[in-house]
Amino acid sequence: MSVFNVGGTWRMLRTLEKLKKITKLLGYSPVDIDKIIQQWRVIHLSKWNEKNNTVGFWSEVWQFRDAAGFNPFQELAQVAVSVLTLPHSNADCVQKQT
C-alpha cells in the first residue's frame, strides 16, 4: 500500500519494482503491466491539485481527462484504487491442526 500513498508516487523510481510485483500478483498481463509502468513514470509530469491526501490524489487521477476526453492514467488509477480498496484484516492466521 505504501507504493500508492502520495509520497510513494513521487518517489517513483524507488517504488517501481514494488509496482511491478503488485501488478503481477494481481494478474495483469505483460502488456498491461508495461502500460502501467509507463503511466507511473510520467504521472509526476502532470499538474495535480491534491498532493497531500492519498485518497484525494487517486480520486483526481481516476477522474482526470485530457483535451480529447481520454484518461492517460486509466490503468494505473485502476491498480491504485484496487489496492487501496482491498479489505485489510488484523485477524491472526490460525494453522489447522492435524
Side-chain angles (χ1 to χ4, degrees):
M1 296 231 343
S2 64
V3 171
F4 295 106
N5 73 30
V6 177
T9 304
W10 303 133
R11 291 185 303 272
M12 65 174 185
L13 294 177
R14 284 193 259 164
T15 55
L16 187 58
E17 287 305 314
K18 291 179 183 178
L19 178 62
K20 288 179 185 178
K21 191 175 195 177
I22 290 167
T23 53
K24 286 179 186 176
L25 286 171
L26 291 173
Y28 283 89
S29 72
V31 171
D32 286 336
I33 292 172
D34 286 344
K35 282 184 198 176
I36 292 163
I37 297 303
Q38 286 306 111
Q39 293 169 13
W40 185 257
R41 288 184 172 151
V42 298
I43 194 166
H44 70 284
L45 300 175
S46 294
K47 183 177 186 285
W48 302 105
N49 294 320
E50 188 59 69
K51 294 182 181 177
N52 297 315
N53 178 299
T54 298
V55 173
F57 172 74
W58 286 108
S59 177
E60 184 178 355
V61 174
W62 182 271
Q63 296 173 21
F64 181 79
R65 298 289 180 266
D66 61 15
F70 175 72
N71 185 342
F73 305 106
Q74 179 178 352
E75 291 82 6
L76 177 58
Q78 287 173 341
V79 173
V81 170
S82 294
V83 170
L84 293 171
T85 58
L86 285 172
H88 297 85
S89 173
N90 57 3
D92 291 333
C93 289
V94 178
Q95 234 181 13
K96 184 178 179 181
Q97 303 245 345
T98 56

